[in-house]
Amino acid sequence: MFNDVTEQKRQIEALKENEERLRLISENVADLILLFETTGEFVYASKSLISLGYDPASIMGRSIFTLIHPDDYPACLLYTSDAADDLPYVDLGGPR
């Protein structure tokens, strides 16, 4: 018995190409791109973070809330909580 895996291989290749395209864009854009879990834990930071004095690798696993002024913490917590409720979960394969 044989299974035709042609379509599966095509989808895997298309996914790899899209991931590479996204990586190139995110690494070369001047805008800051940050991704974090609903807990606030950073899972991605673009290289443009360097312009703000931070090494992107240095914030991985840290909470975004450690970088927010204490007076702004309640509003940010509410905003991220509300935003997370409206978004579907997407596993980006980042560290857990």
Side-chain angles (χ1 to χ4, degrees):
M1 175 182 267
F2 295 98
N3 290 327
D4 186 359
V5 294
T6 304
E7 180 61 21
Q8 183 180 6
K9 286 185 177 185
R10 188 198 65 71
Q11 289 176 349
I12 290 170
E13 187 59 33
L15 179 60
K16 286 179 183 178
E17 289 173 5
N18 284 336
E19 288 174 344
E20 179 64 13
R21 188 177 301 115
L22 179 59
R23 184 189 65 76
L24 287 170
I25 292 168
S26 66
E27 288 182 357
N28 293 292
V29 69
D31 293 335
L32 177 61
I33 300 172
L34 298 170
L35 298 176
F36 51 92
E37 298 286 349
T38 56
T39 61
E41 181 181 325
F42 286 106
V43 294
Y44 177 81
S46 63
K47 289 182 181 180
S48 58
L49 188 62
I50 295 169
S51 67
L52 297 175
Y54 293 94
D55 174 15
S58 72
I59 68 166
M60 291 303 108
R62 285 181 56 190
S63 172
I64 190 172
F65 298 110
T66 63
L67 304 176
I68 295 172
H69 190 278
D71 292 346
D72 297 327
Y73 184 84
C76 289
L77 185 61
L78 180 63
Y79 174 77
T80 56
S81 177
D82 287 348
D85 289 342
D86 294 337
L87 296 173
Y89 175 75
V90 177
D91 186 353
L92 298 174
R96 296 264 174 219

